[in-house]
Amino acid sequence: MHTPYPLTQDVVLVGGGHTHALVLRKWAMSPLLGARLTLIDPNPTAPYSGMLPGHIAGHYDRAALEIDLVRLARFAGARLVLGRAEGLDLAAREIHVSGRPPIRYHRASLDIGVTSRLPDLPGFTDHALAAKPLGAFADRWEAFCTNPPPEPHVLILGGGVAGVELAMACAHRLGATAKVTLIEASDTALAGMNAKTRDTLLGEMAAQGITLRLNARAAEIGADHVRLEGGEALRADITIGATGARPQDWLAQTGLARVDGFVAVDDQLRSLSDDRIYAVGDCAHMGFAPRPKAGVYAVRQAPILYHNLRADLTGRARKRYKPQSDYLKLVSTGRKAAVADKAGMRSSGALLWRLKDRIDRKFMAKFHDLPAMSAPDLPRLRAEGVQAALSGKPLCGGCGAKVGAGLLSDVLAGLPSPARDDVLSRPGDDAAILRHGAGQQVITTDHLRAFVEDPYLMTRIALQHALGDVWAMGADPQAVLSQIILPKATPAVHAGMLAEITAAASEGARAVGAELVGGHTSIGAELSIGFTVTGLAPARAIGLDGARPGDRLVLTRPIGTGVLLAAEMQAAAPGQQVAALWELLAADQSKTARHLAAKAHAMTDVTGFGLAGHLARLCAASGTGAEIRLDAIPIHAGAEALAAAGHRSSLYPANRALVPDWPETTPRHELLFDPQTAGGLLAALPPGDPVPGTVEIGRVTADPGLRLV
């Protein structure tokens, strides 16, 4: 986050539920100076519960009901942490997230929903599917519908509104051959609903051939059956648990006041036991005005939570939340019809489906159609050239923020050759080579402008990026020093950021056999992370100059990083694809690098100059050419489509100029010049067996020049 103002307060939203999604959107319209907003969620998208039955029935595709949390966080200027919260330390004001250091907060809010899993029911975890969390349920259901058995048997546990709605959605999606059974442990389905509405829904279920079993309690779930108490076994090709809301298990260990496991809150949505913690949505218990678990309350809590969080940080008065006593319930019936219930009145039909569809689509449009935020106006009086310099796309992060190769070459051309005999130099080497005993030591440094606001994740990626130069020389990483630029903030905020950065750097260094031994930290306009890395090589470090005609060219990672990151900065890249990219960029390449080091004649890492630029440098140093099979080059998911839509890294023009003779006819051609952050290794290998973790993309030729085949 680039800000001229110091960060002084951390607001952490745990969970991407409906309330928090609306708070993020509203925050984007009016950011609070000095506050850093963080969202923690295990997934890059969050499904909207109101459209889930329609999705199960086949009326909506998955994208229609998903809130893209990656796009929303970027829009709000928020840090996104993709991880699962698993604990809360009230004394230390820290949120524990699986697999990473704790995240500190000044104010925090919980919107983690509920689960419908039955942990005490034998076989449920292994063989059944919980209706909540919604994302995992939707994924498993789609997989089942892709190749269902000829006469699918669906068994649903729970005769409440959710179970009845899901039963009708399943029956509609699977068609007349499906056998859907709904099991309810009590003697009444749809308890709490008025009699007229209940009769209408039960009649609709019967008309669709759905079997309702009352006073039936599941005793065991098997792979293809559900055994009831009493011994009767019912066939079940898929078993779905919709038995009601259960709190997340980890809440019991937080020390927060709870009712039936849910966080007890006051009428300002604050925890009764800690006024720095808020809870909203289904995970909260509103003892001041008890209500059933329903999305309508979560939606209407959003403006109150938004106001109260900001009031806490600015010293203003908070507001009270007053939930409505009743609301319009629209229950879909599988087909494009719905039943309405409010204040004892009941109606049904296709018109109500259209009303429900319009309400749901209007809600989702808030997140699918995020408004463009205009840049602040420039001062009237300004130096010539400022407007033109700012008229292009925003400066990319990662390798896309680097200076072009042409300018670098011009500057470096004037450097003298090393005067020391223990400092070895070869044209274009990825790292400096030092004579070291019987072998050689290599040393390199690299620095990245942050493109994700999560310091822990950005550190992991920056370290992998810096290690690439050492691996490209066939060396084993030895020592790591960090160079960190932190944005302006209070000492407390800086301490939290440095704790996350240091943990990521130390863990990452040790994972590849190296040690973090120190570094340097300064304060600047925005977060930047870099590393100096030394490595030990055998008698001669691998360079660019050893490729031989006939060698195979292999690549270890897809290309397209720059396009995806440039599109994400403009909230145009799908969150699922961005999250997959982040995970890959932070992954360790050391095992594959060691395989390559044992065989490679020449090697480089593919980073800022793009695949074409780095290959051209390798061939120039080796006095060879190369043939590349365009269709063999792996591409990051989504990158080609984004390139076709016109997204490019800000470094693209400089890279394109490196290989002016190559064609540029398709988006796939463009990706050859795309700068890569934490990119793969490109190696020239002798003919032989495939190397695990690599893709063969072409061969080295005796004729100079690069050709596409």
Side-chain angles (χ1 to χ4, degrees):
M1 179 187 297
H2 178 84
T3 173
Y5 305 104
L7 299 171
T8 63
Q9 299 284 316
D10 271 313
V11 178
V12 180
L13 307 179
V14 184
H18 304 348
T19 311
H20 282 175
L22 288 166
V23 167
L24 283 161
R25 189 182 189 279
K26 195 170 179 63
W27 198 286
M29 306 300 180
S30 180
L32 182 62
L33 191 69
R36 179 173 62 170
L37 192 61
T38 297
L39 173 66
I40 302 173
D41 196 274
N43 301 303
T45 61
Y48 169 49
S49 58
M51 297 174 78
L52 180 68
H55 173 64
I56 299 304
H59 304 315
Y60 303 118
D61 63 20
R62 183 67 181 273
L65 72 150
E66 287 199 324
I67 299 171
D68 191 324
L69 299 179
V70 176
R71 290 184 65 229
L72 185 58
R74 169 66 70 178
F75 179 66
R79 170 173 62 157
L80 175 62
V81 173
L82 291 176
R84 187 174 300 280
E86 58 183 13
L88 183 61
D89 187 332
L90 299 179
R93 298 182 198 165
E94 292 179 342
I95 295 160
H96 293 188
V97 179
S98 179
R100 58 173 294 148
I103 294 174
R104 302 181 185 185
Y105 66 87
H106 294 92
R107 291 294 186 278
S109 177
L110 308 179
D111 187 10
I112 58 176
V114 295
T115 178
S116 54
R117 66 184 176 88
L118 299 171
D120 299 328
L121 181 59
F124 188 94
T125 302
D126 293 330
H127 303 300
L129 178 59
K132 292 185 178 182
L134 302 178
F137 172 50
D139 289 339
R140 291 273 300 277
W141 174 252
E142 281 302 305
F144 179 78
C145 291
T146 300
N147 187 28
E151 189 179 77
H153 283 63
V154 180
L155 196 144
I156 297 173
L157 307 177
V161 173
V164 167
E165 202 168 20
L166 287 175
M168 291 187 286
C170 293
H172 180 83
R173 177 70 175 275
L174 295 172
T177 62
K179 306 295 182 184
V180 180
T181 301
L182 184 66
I183 292 177
E184 168 57 38
S186 71
D187 59 2
T188 305
L190 297 169
M193 187 162 280
N194 79 73
K196 290 182 179 179
T197 305
R198 183 189 306 119
D199 290 345
T200 300
L201 289 169
L202 295 179
E204 182 67 32
M205 280 207 309
Q208 295 184 33
I210 297 169
T211 300
L212 175 62
R213 296 286 300 267
L214 299 174
N215 297 309
R217 189 180 298 274
E220 178 192 13
I221 309 295
D224 59 0
H225 70 277
V226 172
R227 191 172 303 280
L228 303 179
E229 291 182 353
E232 181 183 2
L234 303 177
R235 175 181 165 185
D237 298 309
I238 184 170
T239 301
I240 300 170
T243 54
R246 297 173 61 90
Q248 300 284 349
D249 295 338
W250 64 270
L251 291 176
Q253 310 303 320
T254 61
L256 294 173
R258 295 174 300 120
V259 175
D260 297 328
F262 300 101
V263 180
V265 298
D266 63 16
D267 61 1
Q268 297 175 11
L269 304 177
R270 299 180 303 167
S271 163
L272 295 182
S273 54
D274 190 322
D275 61 10
R276 293 178 178 272
I277 301 291
Y278 289 79
V280 290
D282 287 351
C283 73
H285 174 77
M286 299 184 296
F288 62 95
R291 294 291 188 275
K293 304 298 182 186
V296 65
Y297 300 116
V299 168
R300 296 190 181 185
Q301 287 170 343
I304 304 300
L305 177 63
Y306 168 81
H307 173 87
N308 287 352
L309 285 171
R310 295 164 73 93
D312 285 349
L313 302 182
T314 57
R316 297 187 177 185
R318 289 180 292 272
K319 291 182 178 180
R320 288 182 166 83
Y321 172 60
K322 299 177 181 178
Q324 65 270 41
S325 58
D326 196 11
Y327 64 97
L328 176 64
K329 306 173 188 70
L330 290 169
V331 183
S332 57
T333 59
R335 57 191 176 89
K336 290 187 176 181
V339 176
D341 175 78
K342 185 177 183 182
M345 304 297 292
R346 186 271 312 165
S347 59
S348 62
L351 182 61
L352 288 169
W353 163 264
R354 290 195 290 272
L355 173 62
K356 175 176 170 52
D357 178 64
R358 185 162 61 250
I359 292 171
D360 289 339
R361 290 185 184 275
K362 182 179 179 180
F363 178 78
M364 288 305 295
K366 294 176 182 288
F367 307 105
H368 290 168
D369 304 322
L370 297 173
M373 305 299 286
S374 57
D377 293 334
L378 293 175
R380 184 181 60 83
L381 204 61
R382 56 185 182 268
E384 291 183 0
V386 170
Q387 182 70 52
L390 293 175
S391 62
K393 293 181 178 180
L395 178 65
C396 292
C399 256
K402 295 195 172 182
V403 175
L407 176 58
L408 286 176
S409 297
D410 291 344
V411 172
L412 296 177
L415 285 178
S417 298
R420 295 178 59 105
D421 60 6
D422 58 353
V423 177
L424 311 180
S425 177
R426 297 183 307 224
D429 273 337
D430 290 287
I433 305 172
L434 311 177
R435 184 175 291 111
H436 178 74
Q440 294 179 340
Q441 184 181 48
V442 301
I443 183 169
T444 185
T445 190
D446 216 324
H447 204 94
L448 295 179
R449 176 175 181 257
F451 51 84
V452 293
E453 299 297 337
D454 177 1
Y456 182 79
L457 174 61
M458 190 62 222
T459 301
R460 292 177 61 207
I461 294 172
L463 180 59
Q464 293 300 316
H465 183 80
L467 287 166
D469 285 338
V470 172
W471 286 325
M473 305 291 285
D476 289 323
Q478 178 191 25
V480 175
L481 293 100
S482 62
Q483 302 104 41
I484 311 300
I485 300 176
L486 297 175
K488 287 178 281 188
T490 62
V493 173
H494 278 158
M497 296 178 74
L498 282 174
E500 296 182 47
I501 290 169
T502 303
S506 180
E507 292 165 6
R510 287 203 165 185
V512 300
E515 290 290 342
L516 178 68
V517 294
H520 181 78
T521 302
S522 59
I523 298 171
E526 59 187 348
L527 178 65
S528 294
I529 299 175
F531 293 99
T532 296
V533 185
T534 66
L536 298 177
R540 185 181 190 275
I542 298 171
L544 300 177
D545 57 353
R548 306 169 188 174
D551 279 352
R552 298 171 291 150
L553 290 170
V554 301
L555 185 65
T556 64
R557 280 188 173 173
I559 62 173
T561 304
V563 164
L564 275 161
L565 295 182
E568 192 277 325
M569 287 185 65
Q570 300 175 59
Q576 294 278 12
Q577 295 172 356
V578 173
L581 174 69
W582 289 344
E583 183 178 3
L584 180 61
L585 298 188
D588 176 11
Q589 291 197 85
S590 60
K591 185 175 181 180
T592 301
R594 291 188 185 102
H595 285 306
L596 291 174
K599 298 183 178 183
H601 290 152
M603 187 156 53
T604 185
D605 60 336
V606 179
T607 51
F609 303 151
L611 177 59
H614 283 283
L615 177 59
R617 287 161 60 87
L618 184 148
C619 289
S622 299
T624 64
E627 291 181 348
I628 297 296
R629 300 194 308 275
L630 189 61
D631 60 355
I633 298 172
I635 306 293
H636 283 295
E640 195 166 355
L642 289 168
H647 293 284
R648 291 177 175 175
S649 167
S650 50
L651 192 55
Y652 173 88
N655 285 350
R656 184 68 186 88
L658 292 175
V659 193
D661 297 333
W662 268 25
E664 186 180 324
T665 57
T666 69
R668 183 171 281 257
H669 286 93
E670 289 188 13
L671 292 176
L672 297 172
F673 309 100
D674 185 55
Q676 305 304 293
T677 299
L681 298 170
L682 174 67
L685 306 179
D689 295 331
V691 175
T694 70
V695 176
E696 187 170 336
I697 63 170
R699 68 185 186 92
V700 178
T701 64
D703 297 330
L706 307 181
R707 290 173 293 280
L708 292 174
V709 296

